[in-house]
Amino acid sequence: MIAKENLQDLYPLSPMQEGMLFQWLVDPNSDAYVEQIIYRLKGRLDVRLFEDCWRELFRRHNVLRTVFVHEKTARPLQLVLKESQPSLYFKDLSRQSPEKQEEVVAAFRREDRKKGFSLSEDVLSRLSVFQLTAESYEVIWSFHHIVLDGWSVGLVLAELMELY
Protein backbone atom coordinates (compact mmCIF):
# COMPACT_ATOMS: atom_id res chain seq x y z
CA MET A 1 0.00 0.00 0.00
CA ILE A 2 1.35 3.39 -0.98
CA ALA A 3 1.00 6.15 1.60
CA LYS A 4 -0.69 9.31 0.27
CA GLU A 5 2.06 11.38 1.85
CA ASN A 6 4.59 9.61 -0.37
CA LEU A 7 2.77 10.31 -3.64
CA GLN A 8 4.43 12.99 -5.75
CA ASP A 9 2.53 12.64 -9.03
CA LEU A 10 0.55 10.27 -11.21
CA TYR A 11 0.31 9.74 -14.94
CA PRO A 12 -1.51 7.52 -17.41
CA LEU A 13 0.57 4.77 -19.00
CA SER A 14 1.85 4.98 -22.54
CA PRO A 15 0.42 2.35 -24.93
CA MET A 16 3.72 0.41 -24.70
CA GLN A 17 3.59 0.47 -20.90
CA GLU A 18 -0.03 -0.70 -20.97
CA GLY A 19 1.06 -3.67 -23.08
CA MET A 20 3.88 -4.55 -20.67
CA LEU A 21 1.53 -4.21 -17.68
CA PHE A 22 -0.98 -6.49 -19.41
CA GLN A 23 1.71 -9.11 -20.04
CA TRP A 24 2.80 -8.91 -16.39
CA LEU A 25 -0.82 -9.33 -15.24
CA VAL A 26 -1.19 -12.40 -17.47
CA ASP A 27 2.05 -13.93 -16.11
CA PRO A 28 3.58 -12.10 -13.12
CA ASN A 29 6.37 -14.71 -12.97
CA SER A 30 7.57 -14.05 -16.51
CA ASP A 31 10.97 -12.44 -16.89
CA ALA A 32 10.14 -11.23 -20.42
CA TYR A 33 10.66 -7.55 -19.56
CA VAL A 34 13.31 -7.97 -16.87
CA GLU A 35 16.47 -6.44 -18.25
CA GLN A 36 20.03 -6.77 -16.99
CA ILE A 37 23.00 -4.59 -17.81
CA ILE A 38 26.22 -6.33 -16.79
CA TYR A 39 29.64 -4.72 -16.85
CA ARG A 40 33.06 -4.90 -15.22
CA LEU A 41 34.73 -2.06 -13.37
CA LYS A 42 38.51 -1.90 -13.08
CA GLY A 43 40.21 -0.07 -10.22
CA ARG A 44 39.28 0.35 -6.56
CA LEU A 45 35.58 0.94 -5.96
CA ASP A 46 34.25 2.82 -2.95
CA VAL A 47 31.07 0.78 -2.55
CA ARG A 48 29.49 3.20 -0.05
CA LEU A 49 30.06 6.15 -2.41
CA PHE A 50 28.76 4.09 -5.36
CA GLU A 51 25.59 3.34 -3.37
CA ASP A 52 25.22 7.03 -2.44
CA CYS A 53 25.44 7.90 -6.15
CA TRP A 54 22.80 5.26 -6.91
CA ARG A 55 20.49 6.82 -4.30
CA GLU A 56 21.14 10.27 -5.80
CA LEU A 57 19.94 9.00 -9.18
CA PHE A 58 16.68 7.92 -7.55
CA ARG A 59 16.34 11.35 -5.97
CA ARG A 60 16.90 13.06 -9.34
CA HIS A 61 14.77 10.88 -11.63
CA ASN A 62 11.05 10.34 -11.11
CA VAL A 63 10.99 7.28 -13.35
CA LEU A 64 13.20 5.39 -10.89
CA ARG A 65 10.63 6.05 -8.14
CA THR A 66 7.64 4.92 -10.21
CA VAL A 67 5.24 2.05 -9.51
CA PHE A 68 2.18 0.99 -11.47
CA VAL A 69 -1.35 0.46 -10.21
CA HIS A 70 -4.25 -1.15 -12.00
CA GLU A 71 -6.74 -2.04 -9.28
CA LYS A 72 -9.49 0.35 -8.22
CA THR A 73 -8.68 2.76 -11.06
CA ALA A 74 -10.55 3.46 -14.29
CA ARG A 75 -7.25 3.11 -16.16
CA PRO A 76 -3.86 1.86 -15.06
CA LEU A 77 -1.66 4.62 -13.64
CA GLN A 78 2.00 5.17 -12.92
CA LEU A 79 2.58 6.68 -9.49
CA VAL A 80 5.71 8.68 -8.82
CA LEU A 81 6.75 8.37 -5.20
CA LYS A 82 8.37 11.25 -3.32
CA GLU A 83 10.81 8.80 -1.78
CA SER A 84 11.95 5.33 -2.67
CA GLN A 85 14.56 3.15 -1.03
CA PRO A 86 16.87 1.72 -3.67
CA SER A 87 19.43 -0.72 -2.45
CA LEU A 88 22.78 -1.91 -3.59
CA TYR A 89 23.66 -5.56 -3.00
CA PHE A 90 27.36 -6.21 -2.46
CA LYS A 91 29.26 -9.48 -2.19
CA ASP A 92 33.03 -9.91 -1.93
CA LEU A 93 34.14 -12.94 -3.96
CA SER A 94 37.80 -11.95 -4.13
CA ARG A 95 38.97 -14.94 -2.05
CA GLN A 96 37.31 -17.44 -4.37
CA SER A 97 38.72 -18.92 -7.56
CA PRO A 98 37.75 -17.30 -10.87
CA GLU A 99 35.73 -20.43 -11.70
CA LYS A 100 33.80 -20.21 -8.42
CA GLN A 101 33.27 -16.49 -8.93
CA GLU A 102 31.78 -17.09 -12.37
CA GLU A 103 29.54 -19.82 -10.98
CA VAL A 104 28.27 -17.61 -8.13
CA VAL A 105 27.70 -14.56 -10.34
CA ALA A 106 25.98 -16.59 -13.09
CA ALA A 107 23.66 -18.20 -10.51
CA PHE A 108 22.90 -14.77 -9.06
CA ARG A 109 22.05 -13.36 -12.50
CA ARG A 110 19.65 -16.23 -13.19
CA GLU A 111 17.95 -15.95 -9.79
CA ASP A 112 17.74 -12.18 -10.01
CA ARG A 113 15.98 -12.43 -13.40
CA LYS A 114 13.59 -15.06 -12.02
CA LYS A 115 12.87 -12.86 -9.00
CA GLY A 116 11.44 -10.27 -11.36
CA PHE A 117 9.52 -7.27 -10.07
CA SER A 118 6.09 -6.56 -8.68
CA LEU A 119 5.11 -3.57 -10.78
CA SER A 120 2.72 -2.24 -8.14
CA GLU A 121 5.00 -2.65 -5.12
CA ASP A 122 8.70 -2.92 -5.94
CA VAL A 123 11.41 -0.46 -6.71
CA LEU A 124 11.74 -1.41 -10.39
CA SER A 125 15.52 -1.24 -10.51
CA ARG A 126 18.23 -3.10 -8.54
CA LEU A 127 22.00 -2.74 -8.47
CA SER A 128 24.34 -5.54 -7.40
CA VAL A 129 28.13 -5.46 -7.15
CA PHE A 130 30.47 -8.43 -6.87
CA GLN A 131 34.08 -7.81 -5.93
CA LEU A 132 36.27 -10.20 -7.94
CA THR A 133 39.76 -8.92 -7.07
CA ALA A 134 41.16 -5.94 -5.17
CA GLU A 135 40.57 -3.86 -8.32
CA SER A 136 37.91 -5.68 -10.32
CA TYR A 137 34.13 -5.69 -9.85
CA GLU A 138 31.17 -7.06 -11.76
CA VAL A 139 28.09 -4.86 -11.66
CA ILE A 140 24.61 -6.16 -12.44
CA TRP A 141 21.88 -3.59 -12.97
CA SER A 142 18.45 -5.25 -13.16
CA PHE A 143 15.35 -3.26 -14.05
CA HIS A 144 11.93 -3.65 -15.59
CA HIS A 145 11.62 -2.40 -19.17
CA ILE A 146 8.33 -0.66 -18.28
CA VAL A 147 10.37 2.18 -16.71
CA LEU A 148 13.50 2.29 -18.88
CA ASP A 149 14.25 1.73 -22.54
CA GLY A 150 17.55 1.24 -24.34
CA TRP A 151 18.07 4.95 -24.91
CA SER A 152 17.39 6.04 -21.32
CA VAL A 153 19.50 3.23 -19.84
CA GLY A 154 22.62 4.69 -21.39
CA LEU A 155 21.82 8.13 -19.99
CA VAL A 156 21.22 6.81 -16.47
CA LEU A 157 24.36 4.68 -16.56
CA ALA A 158 26.46 7.62 -17.80
CA GLU A 159 25.06 9.82 -15.04
CA LEU A 160 25.87 7.18 -12.42
CA MET A 161 29.47 7.08 -13.63
CA GLU A 162 29.64 10.88 -13.74
CA LEU A 163 28.31 11.17 -10.18
CA TYR A 164 30.80 8.60 -8.96
Side-chain angles (χ1 to χ4, degrees):
M1 185 71 151
I2 296 165
K4 255 187 202 178
E5 307 81 52
N6 196 26
L7 182 61
Q8 178 176 318
D9 214 336
L10 55 97
Y11 305 98
L13 278 64
S14 71
M16 180 72 83
Q17 288 174 316
E18 284 183 353
M20 288 183 208
L21 177 65
F22 175 78
Q23 291 298 322
W24 178 74
L25 290 170
V26 168
D27 184 4
N29 296 319
S30 171
D31 68 354
Y33 292 106
V34 176
E35 305 292 337
Q36 289 182 322
I37 303 294
I38 301 160
Y39 57 96
R40 293 265 169 109
L41 292 176
K42 299 289 183 190
R44 292 210 177 266
L45 179 69
D46 181 335
V47 177
R48 178 164 278 143
L49 176 59
F50 199 62
E51 183 172 23
D52 289 346
C53 295
W54 180 240
R55 290 179 188 276
E56 176 62 16
L57 282 177
F58 272 74
R59 191 189 66 71
R60 290 181 179 193
H61 298 288
N62 291 349
V63 72
L64 297 174
R65 299 187 318 275
T66 298
V67 295
F68 296 81
V69 295
H70 61 280
E71 295 177 338
K72 300 179 185 174
T73 64
R75 283 187 68 178
L77 296 169
Q78 42 185 320
L79 279 57
V80 177
L81 306 178
K82 289 179 185 173
E83 292 184 16
S84 183
Q85 294 303 317
S87 62
L88 183 143
Y89 173 79
F90 175 78
K91 185 162 183 94
D92 184 351
L93 301 176
S94 62
R95 295 176 187 222
Q96 297 182 16
S97 71
E99 296 79 21
K100 181 65 175 172
Q101 290 174 350
E102 182 56 38
E103 180 183 313
V104 169
V105 173
F108 179 88
R109 286 193 305 248
R110 284 190 304 275
E111 289 305 311
D112 192 56
R113 276 189 74 80
K114 280 175 42 180
K115 179 179 176 182
F117 295 94
S118 172
L119 299 185
S120 58
E121 298 172 3
D122 286 345
V123 172
L124 301 178
S125 187
R126 297 187 286 265
L127 198 62
S128 304
V129 177
F130 292 88
Q131 184 171 359
L132 305 176
T133 68
E135 295 193 1
S136 176
Y137 301 82
E138 182 152 314
V139 179
I140 302 168
W141 178 21
S142 301
F143 58 91
H144 198 283
H145 186 52
I146 199 167
V147 292
L148 294 165
D149 62 13
W151 181 77
S152 57
V153 164
L155 296 174
V156 172
L157 186 56
E159 188 173 353
L160 176 62
M161 294 301 128
E162 184 178 307
L163 283 169
Y164 182 77

